[in-house]
Amino acid sequence: MWFPADWKDYELIDCDGGERLERWGSYILIRPDPQVIWSAGRSDPRWRKADGIYRRSSSGGGAWVESRLPEEWNIAYRDLMFRLKPMGFKHTGLFPEQAANWDWFSEIIRAAGRPVRVLNLFAYTGGATVAAAAAGASVCHVDSAKGMVAHAKENARLSGLGDAPVRYIVDDCLKFVERELRRGNRYDGIIMDPPSYGRGPSGEVWKLEESADRLVSLCAGLLSDEPLFFLVSSYTAGLSPLAVRYILDRRVTDRFGGFSEAGELALRVTSTRGFLPCGSSVRWTYGKK
């Protein structure tokens, strides 16, 4: 299990009855979470003082209700700054549990003692991009959503990395990888957080369970002769991290050596000191365990 220990501007206060009670900066949010399968009572008074509540609709989707939230605001993680925007599908533009991964690969980049090129696929609003750039890497940031790429650029600017060596690419990630292979480009580190399901620009259906092996296999061909790390995150409930680790070992470890680890990402619940599961990650590194 991996969890971030250094958040000051984010706090998972409590979780109960299918919902999280969270603090994002100075604002209190209530959001649904299918992993919260228990009901233990809501003694914390902030359950009744939330600035924004996201409610699911019986017809699908949902909306923010009883909201006193601004359109956007900023929070920091260590020296990094991120702009939050309450979105239509309960999200804020940031997954705080991923800070555990940012810390992991940032340490590897800083310790490399050489220029490091990183490819960040399905890069969303650029949390990993900003962290890798701050650690000293040059980054290629790829996402198919133009708005998310613009958001990532803003996060880099807020973090003082507006002039950092980052390429922002709006493209289908799988097709971009195929073109990079033909161009002969190589990377020392690869980060990916692929969606569970989606549709490509021509209507093709994407299912992670069916595409994970091909995606990892293609990306393994983009690794440099002395790669540093490979990170795969997943929020797909039906995809075991051990299955992803098996793929990574066959496609990467068998070729380069090194070692892999599979684990759950989690957030500590401050009211109980317990942990809420928040997806999984598989980490491969070229160095010794």
Side-chain angles (χ1 to χ4, degrees):
M1 178 178 67
W2 298 304
F3 65 96
D6 289 332
W7 272 112
K8 302 294 189 297
D9 283 357
Y10 173 83
E11 178 186 5
L12 178 54
I13 301 166
D14 197 8
C15 45
D16 182 83
E19 293 181 317
R20 298 183 185 190
L21 178 67
E22 304 168 294
R23 178 179 61 81
W24 295 80
S26 60
Y27 297 99
I28 303 299
L29 277 62
I30 296 174
R31 299 189 299 155
D33 191 316
Q35 295 290 334
V36 184
I37 58 175
W38 51 85
S39 294
R42 301 186 175 191
S43 58
D44 194 297
R46 285 172 288 186
W47 280 106
R48 296 176 290 281
K49 299 178 181 180
D51 298 295
I53 303 172
Y54 188 92
R55 295 293 189 209
R56 295 284 192 198
S57 169
S58 59
S59 59
W64 292 93
V65 300
E66 305 175 30
S67 179
R68 297 185 296 274
L69 298 172
E71 289 187 8
E72 55 186 45
W73 70 99
N74 300 337
I75 66 170
Y77 180 76
R78 296 188 175 182
D79 296 330
L80 309 178
M81 187 72 68
F82 301 99
R83 179 149 295 173
L84 303 182
K85 298 179 181 181
M87 300 182 183
F89 187 66
K90 81 173 183 178
H91 298 310
T92 63
L94 195 68
F95 292 89
E97 64 275 6
Q98 285 291 339
N101 283 329
W102 305 341
D103 291 343
W104 171 73
F105 63 68
S106 293
E107 183 178 349
I108 295 172
I109 293 168
R110 291 190 179 101
R114 60 180 171 90
V116 176
R117 299 186 69 207
V118 171
L119 174 62
N120 186 13
L121 297 170
F122 310 96
Y124 193 50
T125 59
T129 294
V130 171
S138 60
V139 185
C140 182
H141 171 112
V142 187
D143 197 279
S144 62
K146 186 176 181 179
M148 294 299 103
V149 173
H151 194 150
K153 290 180 180 180
E154 177 64 9
N155 284 335
R157 186 191 67 79
L158 289 171
S159 297
L161 296 164
D163 295 324
V166 180
R167 291 176 61 210
Y168 297 96
I169 308 293
V170 180
D171 201 352
D172 176 86
C173 288
L174 187 58
K175 291 182 178 179
F176 176 82
V177 167
E178 291 171 337
R179 285 195 295 273
E180 287 290 88
L181 285 167
R182 293 193 294 269
R183 288 187 284 245
N185 287 330
R186 296 294 180 264
Y187 298 89
D188 304 298
I190 293 178
I191 301 165
M192 65 171 70
D193 187 0
S196 301
Y197 176 87
R199 290 188 178 274
S202 301
E204 60 271 29
V205 175
W206 162 276
K207 291 184 179 179
L208 183 55
E209 297 97 322
E210 299 172 0
S211 305
D213 183 48
R214 179 169 180 245
L215 178 61
V216 171
S217 180
L218 289 171
C219 286
L222 292 178
L223 289 171
S224 65
D225 292 337
E226 295 183 358
L228 294 173
F229 66 89
F230 199 127
L231 171 66
V232 182
S233 293
S234 171
Y235 293 88
T236 303
L239 186 61
S240 167
L242 290 179
V244 178
R245 183 183 183 185
Y246 190 94
I247 292 171
L248 209 62
D249 281 340
R250 299 290 74 77
R251 303 304 186 188
V252 179
T253 311
D254 286 355
R255 176 179 173 185
F256 293 98
F259 70 96
S260 67
E261 298 177 281
E264 284 193 282
L265 293 174
L267 291 168
R268 186 185 287 275
V269 184
T270 56
S271 64
T272 64
R273 310 304 294 171
F275 292 92
L276 177 69
C278 304
S280 64
S281 286
V282 180
R283 299 170 172 179
W284 173 87
T285 184
Y286 186 68
K288 295 179 180 180
K289 188 171 183 179

